[in-house]
Amino acid sequence: KKDADYVIDTSKLLTRELKEELDRIFVKNEEYSSLMINILSFGFKHGIPADADLVFDVRFLPNPYYVEELKHQTGNDKPVYDYVMKSEDAEIFLKQLYDMLVFLIPRYIAEGKNQLVVAIGCTGGKHRSVTITNALYECLKDLEYSVKAEHRDVDRDSQRKGSQMR
């Protein structure tokens, strides 16, 4: 391993993500970084993700849950995304979070870290955390690191209700 030019931890990569990494290194000749950044939205009511390295609470942002036409949508839906992001606090938070990550990432790499899990939480994990996770992903995706966004709890309540109806 110490003599290898590239080391890719495939334990949490999808086949598609591995292909993207290999293309980045060998086809596009882009700089390789062994750091995989996973931005993970979650709901505090379902618990903080055990593998989170950094946890951010966005419950201070306006909550679409209390807007009837947005309540049953998620941060993946444009009306919810727009509602959350129209807040000046959301813009400021996103910029400051991005700046902090740009500062931290090279330092984590220097320490030999190969995975960074950035967890973004709101109450249920459907609206605000999903929106900020998606927005942060858009900010980071064009950097030289492997970045992916996941939404742990976005469908959690609807799955539970669906399974109770069966």
Side-chain angles (χ1 to χ4, degrees), residues 79 92 144:
I92 293 169
E144 60 194 50

Side-chain angles (χ1 to χ4, degrees), residues 8 16-30:
I8 301 173
R16 168 184 50 79
E17 294 166 334
L18 176 58
K19 181 185 182 319
E20 288 170 6
E21 276 302 303
L22 295 174
D23 285 349
R24 183 187 313 216
I25 297 166
F26 297 110
V27 177
K28 298 177 184 173
N29 283 328
E30 291 182 10

